[in-house]
Amino acid sequence: MIDETLMHRDGRLGRIVLNRPKVLNALSARQYHDITAYLSGWEDDPEIGVVLIEGEGERAFCAGGDIRMVWDAARRGDHDFNRDVFRTEYRLNRRIHRYPKPYVSLLDGICMGGGAGLSVNGGYRVATERIRFAMPETGIGFFPDVGATHFLNRCPGHLGLYLGLTGKQLGPADCLWAGIATHFVPAERLDDLRRALGEAAKSAEPDGAVAAVLARFHQEPGEGPLLRHVAALENCFAHRRLADVIEALRLEGGQWAWDTLSDLSGRAPFSLAVTNRQLREGRGLDFDDAIRREFRLAWHFLQGHDFLEGIRAQVVDKDRQPAWSPSSLAEVDELAVAAYFQPLGDDELPLP
């Protein structure tokens, strides 16, 4: 059995490598606990000055959580397992958000879902030309979680809402514009960057040393394709009601608008309604309040129909034909949406 998470100490540089390249470094339940243990141990360790996290191989940093395990646990009736997975993951996201030492993610290849939770919540996110970032959860009957209420709402204008609803993939330039990435470094320079970060970790002031290293390695990737459509995006996604967003896209016309309508049409209607409310109402929430609300939503989705149906259609049977319930936005019950946001009482996410 391979080690799913590799930990190295290179001098004062603590390195975490996600080591499941055959599944695009998708995260197992054990990895959430392992990464938490490494980060917890390094927080007060004077021999570690900087933390670096990356994925094994060139295809992916991390494609998200291993959602097949969620399906398997639900099928055997082990709901406590699933709730523990999300509880552990969200508390890890919070630890990363509050981490007291420089935390650098190398986003080389796919970075989606849970991979965003491990990276975008941290201080420095270095994208290469191979990055493909997305929050695709509405396509599996779920919602953008792992702190997305917080980090998508830090994107310019209504970009975060657009990304959360459509699951659109971004390349390096658009990731920089969105604030998903903080720096762009070509993949051919990553070995040099690792060595430079190792030297920065030796500094008496590693924060400043890391910032200086990343500024030195950063290159401008040019203009991203999505930036060209920012006026249309703002015009369409400024509407609060999803029905009005869709009507605005129809009136906008053009290839980008039609592509966006196509992206939305393949998403679970109930997930779209929840995500729309989640992100609009989540503006201005601090991280702890945001992640608590996300745990409430996850708790409800785990008990609902669409999430497991989305996993079935995309991962288990792979027929790509999910039977969403409700099947259209017109059938979404707003009271049912509101119920997902209600406090859970004794089941709330504990935050130490």
Side-chain angles (χ1 to χ4, degrees):
M1 185 175 181
I2 66 166
D3 289 329
E4 296 178 329
T5 311
L6 305 178
M7 184 273 283
H8 307 280
R9 285 173 174 260
D10 295 342
R12 297 188 70 233
L13 179 68
R15 290 182 60 198
I16 295 173
V17 181
L18 310 177
N19 190 37
R20 302 182 76 204
K22 291 183 179 179
V23 290
L24 302 177
N25 295 319
L27 296 160
S28 71
R30 188 179 79 183
Q31 286 181 282
Y32 297 124
H33 292 279
D34 289 346
I35 297 168
T36 297
Y38 296 148
L39 294 181
S40 177
W42 288 342
E43 269 191 31
D44 300 316
D45 185 345
E47 297 304 312
I48 294 295
V50 176
V51 172
L52 177 66
I53 185 168
E54 57 189 303
E56 179 63 35
E58 300 178 353
R59 296 175 62 200
F61 167 71
C62 173
D66 186 350
I67 55 176
R68 177 61 189 254
M69 70 180 174
V70 175
W71 162 271
D72 290 339
R75 293 285 287 181
R76 65 177 182 263
D78 193 351
H79 305 297
D80 287 341
F81 172 87
N82 279 335
R83 282 193 287 272
D84 180 67
V85 165
F86 283 92
R87 185 180 296 114
T88 305
E89 180 179 21
Y90 291 179
R91 292 178 71 176
L92 172 58
N93 299 150
R94 179 182 185 258
R95 181 179 294 276
I96 291 168
H97 175 71
R98 298 163 62 94
Y99 208 66
K101 296 180 178 180
Y103 180 96
V104 184
S105 306
L106 298 187
L107 307 182
D108 187 26
I110 294 169
C111 175
M112 297 183 183
L118 292 184
S119 56
V120 186
N121 291 313
Y124 300 103
R125 291 88 65 189
V126 180
T128 75
E129 68 276 12
R130 293 189 287 241
I131 189 174
R132 290 297 177 268
F133 171 86
M135 295 300 289
E137 289 79 7
T138 57
I140 55 167
F142 201 51
F143 71 102
D145 63 333
V146 298
T149 303
H150 190 260
F151 66 71
L152 287 182
N153 273 319
R154 290 186 293 170
C155 295
H158 292 91
L159 175 60
L161 179 65
Y162 164 81
L163 296 176
L165 290 172
T166 65
K168 190 69 175 180
Q169 292 188 23
L170 300 184
D174 284 325
C175 279
L176 280 175
W177 167 50
I180 297 301
T182 57
H183 298 81
F184 171 72
V185 177
E188 65 182 10
R189 299 210 64 199
L190 289 183
D191 284 343
D192 292 336
L193 177 60
R194 292 184 187 96
R195 284 191 287 270
L197 289 172
E199 290 301 311
K202 300 175 185 176
S203 170
E205 296 183 0
D207 278 295
V210 167
V213 164
L214 293 177
R216 188 170 78 247
F217 275 78
H218 172 70
Q219 298 182 21
E220 291 299 326
E223 182 180 270
L226 186 55
L227 184 58
R228 302 167 197 160
H229 303 287
V230 63
L233 187 156
E234 290 301 318
N235 175 60
C236 295
F237 283 84
H239 298 280
R240 292 194 64 83
R241 295 175 62 247
L242 279 173
D244 294 334
V245 170
I246 290 169
E247 181 61 21
L249 287 166
R250 288 179 177 142
L251 293 173
E252 180 72 30
Q255 192 61 51
W256 174 83
W258 292 118
D259 288 345
T260 302
L261 285 168
S262 177
D263 290 337
L264 291 171
S265 70
R267 311 275 140 179
F270 193 80
S271 290
L272 291 176
V274 169
T275 299
N276 189 52
R277 178 166 177 165
Q278 167 205 357
L279 295 179
R280 291 188 188 278
E281 292 185 355
R283 283 180 176 265
L285 288 181
D286 66 21
F287 190 88
D288 284 5
D289 287 339
I291 204 74
R292 282 193 188 96
R293 290 179 98 226
E294 289 182 10
F295 186 74
R296 293 172 196 166
L297 296 176
W299 195 93
H300 286 293
F301 272 104
L302 285 167
Q303 298 179 92
H305 167 271
D306 279 359
F307 186 27
L308 295 179
E309 171 62 9
I311 298 173
R312 181 206 64 77
Q314 296 295 332
V315 177
V316 180
D317 296 336
K318 300 181 181 179
D319 58 24
R320 308 292 192 269
Q321 297 293 323
W324 303 128
S325 179
S327 60
S328 70
L329 282 172
E331 298 174 82
V332 172
D333 182 350
E334 290 301 327
L335 291 177
V337 172
Y340 271 43
F341 290 83
Q342 296 305 305
L344 300 175
D346 292 342
D347 290 316
E348 286 286 305
L349 178 66
L351 295 177

